[in-house]
């Protein structure tokens, strides 16, 4: 298997979390197999999460952490993101990354519209893996909530800018998970990293 260029985003806003541990396990295994990895930790990123009122014609300049993230996203051919599910969605600061960094001219082209009026994606040719932690079991997430968070991430964010397919690995219930379970999850993340999938 050829080596891949991988960007990893730990999307948990706390400096220590299960999401961070899953990212570390994935990264260590991927690097051990020779893949090139660039890591971004949401808790350490400094930027204004509010896009504001300026519109796309006069967006806020990207702070250095967002500029590095977007540059590494463009460089990569595989995107790995870990996120907890909070209130059925992603943490506000992670949503802020999407709002601020995925801009027209870099992530999608508003000058190139398809027959449905959708702008052309500019980050095509990349695949994605989402490491999703939650207290909602995967079966409930699908049957009760219709996989809303997965549809949001894969269709309305990553897919919109051309990153697809997006595959998910769910880790639940995450709060107070016994150590034996956490260790099995870390091995699973490492297995994904070793294969760069």
């Amino acid at each position: 298997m050829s080596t891949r260029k991988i960007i990893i985003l730990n999307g948990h806003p706390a400096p220590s979390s299960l999401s961070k541990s899953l990212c570390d396990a994935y990264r260590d295994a991927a690097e051990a197999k020779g893949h090139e990895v660039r890591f971004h930790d949401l808790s350490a990123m400094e930027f204004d999460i509010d896009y504001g009122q300026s519109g796309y014609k006069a967006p806020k300049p990207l702070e250095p952490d967002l500029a590095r993230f977007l540059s590494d996203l463009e460089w990569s051919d595989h995107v790995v993101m870990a996120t907890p599910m909070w209130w059925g969605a992603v943490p506000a600061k992670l949503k802020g990354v999407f709002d601020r960094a995925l801009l027209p001219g870099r992530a999608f082209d508003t000058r190139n519209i398809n027959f449905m009026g959708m702008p052309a994606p500019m980050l095509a040719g990349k695949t994605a893996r989402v490491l999703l932690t939650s207290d909602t079991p995967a079966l409930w997430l699908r049957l009760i909530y219709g996989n809303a968070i997965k549809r949001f991430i894969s269709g309305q964010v990553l897919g919109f800018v051309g990153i697809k397919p997006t595959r998910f690995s769910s880790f639940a219930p995450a709060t107070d998970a016994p150590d034996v379970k956490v260790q099995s999850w870390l091995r699973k993340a490492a297995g994904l990293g070793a294969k760069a999938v």
Side-chain angles (χ1 to χ4, degrees):
M1 181 181 70
S2 60
T3 59
R4 305 191 76 182
K5 297 182 294 185
I6 303 170
I7 182 174
I8 298 178
L9 172 61
N10 170 29
H12 197 296
S16 178
S17 65
L18 175 58
S19 296
K20 172 80 163 49
S21 297
L22 293 168
C23 287
D24 289 342
Y26 188 105
R27 175 176 57 178
D28 291 347
E31 289 178 338
K33 291 293 186 179
H35 302 288
E36 189 174 353
V37 178
R38 297 184 183 176
F39 179 74
H40 294 261
D41 192 342
L42 186 67
S43 71
M45 295 172 70
E46 295 183 3
F47 62 95
D48 182 357
I49 69 171
D50 184 13
Y51 185 80
Q53 302 297 320
S54 61
Y56 285 144
K57 294 185 190 263
K60 294 177 185 177
L62 292 180
E63 293 87 343
D65 285 337
L66 286 182
R68 277 190 295 273
F69 170 77
L70 182 53
S71 177
D72 287 350
L73 183 62
E74 291 170 329
W75 159 87
S76 70
D77 54 45
H78 187 56
V79 181
V80 177
M81 181 177 71
T83 180
M85 183 176 79
W86 287 357
W87 293 106
V90 298
K93 190 174 181 182
L94 178 55
K95 178 63 163 55
V97 172
F98 304 152
D99 290 349
R100 293 289 317 285
L102 300 181
L103 298 174
R106 297 282 294 274
F108 57 96
D109 185 358
T110 57
R111 297 164 301 176
N112 184 4
I113 305 298
N114 68 14
F115 73 98
M116 296 178 62
M118 301 296 287
M122 297 180 72
L123 297 175
K126 307 174 191 300
T127 56
R129 167 73 59 178
V130 176
L131 309 173
L132 178 65
T133 66
S134 72
D135 285 331
T136 304
L139 182 63
W140 278 60
L141 190 62
R142 178 168 57 86
L143 295 179
I144 306 300
Y145 299 115
N147 279 334
I149 188 172
K150 293 182 179 181
R151 289 186 286 111
F152 160 68
I153 293 171
S154 64
Q156 295 175 281
V157 179
L158 299 180
F160 186 84
V161 299
I163 302 170
K164 56 187 171 182
T166 296
R167 295 182 173 90
F168 288 83
S169 296
S170 295
F171 304 90
T175 300
D176 299 323
D179 186 63
V180 64
K181 177 61 74 174
V182 171
Q183 293 306 313
S184 72
W185 290 343
L186 295 178
R187 288 191 297 271
K188 180 177 180 180
L192 295 169
K195 296 177 183 175
V197 294

